[in-house]
Structures are given as structure tokens and as C-alpha cells.
């Protein structure tokens, strides 16, 4: 396929079978975009694809918490992670909810006028502070935020910054029109848990979502993404883990920060960048690691390993609505 894919060549969605085809069907029905490149890029690994889709669906799309509120959190995460593709996508989805002025305010980098909306956007940018939502909605808001900490890193690593062909998403009229086309889908009430039968992995649910479909999906994603550690030597996997563990969960990787040499430790370099600065991944970084027999499947798993380490680091800094560490 041509288009937004920088380093992989996914199979055309119309030729998909099995759980991959089932995800595309659910995408069309529940998300309104059958061939969303955010998910197509993961199709080389059905367990990663199904778990990523399940976490996003069960946290952002389904449930009872405000869709506008969750889109604000997702936008805050995407802005903090310097992911223009995802930030624009959330602006489009805010247009779909009918919050047209808010969509453009957020995309410009301005603060919403409403204190509640301002608090949700700010929490998405830095999740170490007190959560601005009630405890009974924590699984949806936290799940949404962590889903996009993962998705942002996949997108920044493997896709171009253009959300639409020709970059036409830069025009407000295009964003608004795209959002209006999704309005009916965005405003539907979805049955929680529908994505879970597609999962190819399982894992322990987190404390912030010990019960329910969000926790199940998150556990599955952690299991699938950690499989990428097997693509690195024990030494390199430990190095990446230690580097991410020492990160504060917010501050971008300094340009002066030492990185593993591309020629000697390309896998460690790529995984670390995927975790802490995916927008800095270059063609040379990928080419240095991706030599035969590495495949699309290997590349998405290596990126996913770095991404899930970053997600877990952010998760470790979370506070519950009561103000205690989760």
C-alpha cells in the first residue's frame, strides 16, 4: 500500500481475513473509519492490532463518560507527545461531537474557556496531577489516555504526519466536514465488551480498571507489546527498560541525550526512540536495524515494546481521584 506508511507495506484491508478483517468491520461500525491507518499499520501483528483496537474502543468509544471529555484527554496526550497526526484526528472527532469551537481551540494550542474542559486537557498533557474526573469514570479516562500514549508512539514511528491525502487536514473546513461525516457514529451508544472476543492475548488487568472490558483490553495489550523484547539482546532490552524507568513521564528526550550507536546497537536505539522520542526516528535508524530476516511484523513489535514501556512509566505516576498513587 502507498500513502501514510513510512516503513511497512500492510496488506490491503479488502484482502484481510480472520481477526484482522473483524477489526476492520468493527472500525467501520464503531469508529466510522474502516481503513484507519492507525490500525492498518499494526495489521502485521494481529495480537497487537486487536489489543490496541480493544483498548481504544472500550475506553474512548464505549462507556458512559463524556466523549468530549475523553477526546480532550486524548488530544492533551497527543499534543504532549508531539503527534500532529493524532492531535488533528482528535480535533476532527471533537467536530464530530458538535464541539466545533473547542476543536479548533485545542488544535491551535489555546486553552479552553471552560474550567472543566481546561482541566481535562491539562491532565492529558501531564497525568501525574490529580485526575479531574470522578472515580467511577477512571477506567475510561485513564484507559483513553494510556491508549493514546501507545498509539501516538506507533503513529509517530511508522506513519507520516499527514492524516489525509495531500495534507488537506490543515484546512478548517476539511476538518469540520470530516467531523460532521462521523457525527452519527460518534454519537451512537456502544455496547461495552464487543471487541474482547477478538483478543489474541491476555494479561492481568491493572488496579485502575480491575474489572470490566477496559482492564481486560489493557492487560492484553501489555502482553502483546512486551513480546517485542525478544527482538533485542538481554543487555539491550535491559538498557531500554532502565532508560524509560528513569524518565519522568513528561519531559521530552533532550537532543543532547546519549543514544545507542546506530551501527552497533540499532535495536536498542530504535526501541528507546519509540518510547521517548518517536518523532525523532529517521530512515537511517530503521534501515540500520531492519535487515533480513526482519519483517513488518518484527518492526511493529519492536516499536510496540518501546511504546508499552513508556505507557507503563506514565501509568506508574498516576494518582487515583482520591489523590493516592495507583
Amino acid at each position: 500500500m502507498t500513502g501514510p506508511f513510512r516503513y511497512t507495506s500492510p496488506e490491503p484491508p479488502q484482502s484481510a481475513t480472520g481477526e484482522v478483517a473483524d477489526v476492520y468491520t468493527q472500525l467501520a461500525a464503531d469508529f466510522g473509519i474502516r481503513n484507519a491507518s492507525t490500525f492498518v499499520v499494526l495489521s502485521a501483528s494481529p495480537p497487537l492490532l486487536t489489543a490496541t483496537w480493544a483498548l481504544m474502543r472500550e475506553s474512548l468509544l464505549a462507556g458512559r463518560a463524556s466523549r468530549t471529555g475523553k477526546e480532550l484527554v486524548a488530544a492533551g496526550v497527543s499534543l504532549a507527545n508531539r503527534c500532529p497526526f493524532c492531535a488533528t484526528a482528535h480535533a476532527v472527532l471533537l467536530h464530530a461531537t458538535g464541539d466545533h469551537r473547542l476543536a479548533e481551540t485545542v488544535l491551535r494550542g489555546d486553552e479552553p474557556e471552560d474550567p472543566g474542559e481546561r482541566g481535562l486537557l491539562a491532565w492529558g498533557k501531564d497525568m501525574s496531577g490529580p485526575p479531574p474526573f470522578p472515580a467511577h469514570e477512571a477506567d475510561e479516562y485513564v484507559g483513553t489516555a494510556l491508549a493514546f500514549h501507545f498509539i501516538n508512539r506507533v503513529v509517530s514511528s511508522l506513519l507520516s504526519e499527514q492524516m489525509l491525502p495531500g495534507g488537506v487536514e490543515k484546512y478548517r473546513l476539511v476538518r469540520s466536514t470530516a467531523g460532521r461525516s462521523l457525527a452519527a457514529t460518534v454519537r451512537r451508544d456502544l455496547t461495552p465488551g464487543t471487541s474482547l472476543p477478538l483478543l489474541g492475548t491476555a494479561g492481568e488487568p491493572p488496579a485502575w480498571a480491575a474489572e470490566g472490558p477496559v482492564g481486560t483490553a489493557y492487560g492484553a495489550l501489555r502482553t502483546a507489546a512486551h513480546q517485542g523484547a525478544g527482538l533485542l539482546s538481554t543487555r539491550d532490552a535491559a538498557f531500554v527498560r532502565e532508560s524509560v524507568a528513569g524518565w519522568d513521564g513528561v519531559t521530552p528526550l533532550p537532543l543532547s541525550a546519549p543514544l545507542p550507536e546506530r551501527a552497533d546497537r540499532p535495536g536498542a536505539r530504535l526501541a528507546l526512540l519509540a518510547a521517548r522520542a518517536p518523532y525523532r526516528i529517521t530512515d537511517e535508524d530503521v534501515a540500520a536495524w531492519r535487515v533480513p530476516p526482519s519483517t513488518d511484523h518484527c518492526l511493529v513489535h519492536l516499536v510496540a515494546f518501546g511504546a508499552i514501556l513508556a505507557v507503563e512509566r506514565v501509568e506508574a505516576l498516576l494518582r487515583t481521584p482520591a489523590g493516592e498513587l495507583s
Side-chain angles (χ1 to χ4, degrees):
M1 294 181 67
T2 59
F5 306 102
R6 296 173 66 194
Y7 304 119
T8 62
S9 300
E11 291 294 323
Q14 59 267 27
S15 66
T17 59
E19 63 265 52
V20 174
D22 291 338
V23 167
Y24 293 156
T25 298
Q26 284 196 355
L27 274 169
D30 295 349
F31 193 43
I33 309 171
R34 178 178 175 83
N35 300 336
S37 55
T38 308
F39 295 97
V40 174
V41 74
L42 292 171
S43 61
S45 172
L48 277 176
L49 170 63
T50 56
T52 304
W53 161 243
L55 181 57
M56 192 194 81
R57 183 197 184 277
E58 303 306 331
S59 58
L60 177 66
L61 309 186
R64 296 182 178 179
S66 161
R67 177 66 182 269
T68 294
K70 291 185 286 188
E71 289 292 349
L72 280 169
V73 165
V77 171
S78 300
L79 290 167
N81 287 332
R82 303 184 184 186
C83 184
F85 182 111
C86 291
T88 303
H90 293 300
V92 168
L93 291 166
L94 282 169
H95 276 293
T97 66
D99 297 291
H100 304 292
R101 182 176 179 181
L102 181 61
E104 295 304 312
T105 296
V106 170
L107 192 60
R108 285 195 307 271
D110 295 338
E111 296 288 326
E113 293 180 2
D114 180 82
E117 293 173 345
R118 191 162 59 245
L120 288 167
L121 181 66
W123 184 81
K125 293 178 180 179
D126 181 355
M127 295 165 57
S128 63
F133 45 78
H136 68 273
E137 295 179 346
D139 59 338
E140 294 180 44
Y141 277 106
V142 173
T144 293
L146 296 181
F148 282 96
H149 269 292
F150 184 82
I151 290 170
N152 288 169
R153 287 168 168 81
V154 171
V155 167
S156 292
S157 298
L158 302 177
L159 298 181
S160 74
E161 292 186 354
Q162 293 185 353
M163 193 186 78
L164 296 172
V168 294
E169 71 276 3
K170 64 185 178 183
Y171 299 110
R172 176 173 181 160
L173 178 60
V174 172
R175 295 191 296 270
S176 176
T177 301
R180 292 174 194 276
S181 73
L182 297 171
T185 303
V186 164
R187 296 171 188 179
R188 286 177 52 216
D189 289 329
L190 300 181
T191 302
T194 303
S195 65
L196 302 187
L198 302 177
L199 292 173
T201 52
E204 184 177 355
W208 48 266
E211 298 180 1
V214 175
T216 300
Y218 184 74
L221 180 58
R222 290 184 67 228
T223 297
H226 272 286
Q227 292 174 1
L231 295 164
L232 299 175
S233 68
T234 301
R235 172 193 175 215
D236 280 353
F239 169 83
V240 177
R241 288 190 178 99
E242 289 167 6
S243 176
V244 177
W247 173 49
D248 67 5
V250 178
T251 307
L253 183 70
L255 292 175
S256 59
L259 293 171
E261 290 295 328
R262 187 181 292 129
D264 300 326
R265 303 170 68 190
R269 180 186 181 94
L270 194 54
L272 180 57
L273 285 172
R276 295 194 55 189
Y279 44 84
R280 286 173 52 187
I281 290 175
T282 66
D283 296 353
E284 291 77 16
D285 291 324
V286 175
W289 178 78
R290 190 171 173 177
V291 296
S294 295
T295 62
D296 284 3
H297 178 273
C298 299
L299 180 58
V300 298
H301 267 284
L302 185 62
V303 167
F305 173 61
I308 201 65
L309 291 179
V311 169
E312 290 174 327
R313 178 60 183 143
V314 173
E315 180 191 20
L317 301 172
L318 285 173
R319 287 198 278 171
T320 67
E324 301 172 350
L325 289 175
S326 59

